[in-house]
Amino acid sequence: VDTLGNCISCYPKILATLLTQQIKIFGMSEPTPIVKDRTVFDSGGKTIIAFSPEDSNRLIAANKNGITKILQLDRLEQEPEVLQISENLTSLSALSHERFIISTSKGDAFEYNYKTSNETLLLRTSLPLRDCSIIHNGKTAIFASDDLELNSIDIAQDNSSSDPSKRSKLSQILTL
């Protein structure tokens, strides 16, 4: 019993009842949550995740050692696809169900297509890249680095150009 005299073991039921009432008020169907426990990496350490933007049905998980696993969330019983990518990741952003971008503490940004096994260097800076954000429906990537600058780069939509010199040039958009 808590300080108000309520039975603590009743809290989950009370919360479920409140959630069900809110769902009915907003006209949504009642969810049927399914919890599946699955270990993605055996060792500890920093893990970064991203969902595919089209259907949020693929989960991309990368660890500090550069091992990346692509899990299909509707088929968790299947083994994930495994890639070895750059180490010392600082960010991970999904472009599509096949492509994603990473940045590293070495100052590199790469685009990966795990279906075709293509790796494309997008950007190299002298200081670590800390984060990446995808804007304009996946057409542009914004990178933040320790040199107090934000840089943007155009992303090829079909990944036909693996040569960064054929892509639109990098542009510095902000110095802090």
Side-chain angles (χ1 to χ4, degrees):
V1 178
D2 67 4
T3 57
L4 299 175
N6 295 320
C7 174
I8 294 176
S9 64
C10 298
Y11 283 157
K13 187 174 183 179
I14 292 169
L15 290 174
T17 303
L18 290 173
L19 179 61
T20 303
Q21 289 172 352
Q22 287 179 342
I23 289 171
K24 288 178 182 175
I25 290 170
F26 292 111
M28 298 182 288
S29 62
E30 209 169 312
T32 54
I34 299 171
V35 177
K36 294 187 178 182
D37 187 16
R38 179 167 181 162
T39 301
V40 179
F41 297 109
D42 292 331
S43 62
K46 182 177 182 177
T47 300
I48 303 172
I49 63 167
F51 289 98
S52 61
E54 287 101 3
D55 56 8
S56 294
N57 201 26
R58 283 188 177 81
L59 172 72
I60 304 166
N63 71 7
K64 64 179 181 176
N65 299 323
I67 297 173
T68 301
K69 295 186 179 182
I70 294 92
L71 295 96
Q72 292 195 22
L73 298 178
D74 59 347
R75 294 184 214 135
L76 285 176
E77 63 280 352
Q78 290 182 351
E79 286 298 313
E81 295 187 45
V82 180
L83 299 170
Q84 181 66 43
I85 62 172
S86 296
E87 295 180 0
N88 304 313
L89 302 179
T90 55
S91 71
L92 170 68
S93 298
L95 289 169
S96 69
H97 65 278
E98 297 177 354
R99 298 165 47 213
F100 59 94
I101 292 177
I102 64 150
S103 62
T104 70
S105 59
K106 294 182 179 180
D108 298 328
F110 294 97
E111 178 184 335
Y112 288 93
N113 184 325
Y114 70 88
K115 289 289 187 189
T116 62
S117 300
N118 284 344
E119 174 186 303
T120 305
L121 177 66
L122 297 175
L123 173 66
R124 178 165 282 155
T125 62
S126 58
L127 293 174
L129 290 172
R130 295 297 175 187
D131 203 3
C132 173
S133 186
I134 308 298
I135 60 171
H136 300 135
N137 294 324
K139 295 178 183 173
T140 305
I142 306 293
F143 295 95
S145 66
D146 281 359
D147 59 3
L148 301 177
E149 292 179 355
L150 294 178
N151 296 296
S152 74
I153 189 164
D154 292 341
I155 304 296
Q157 293 305 299
D158 58 359
N159 205 25
S160 60
S161 175
S162 61
D163 181 3
S165 65
K166 294 181 181 175
R167 295 176 183 251
S168 297
K169 297 297 179 192
L170 173 74
S171 61
Q172 178 184 341
I173 60 171
L174 178 65
T175 301
L176 303 173

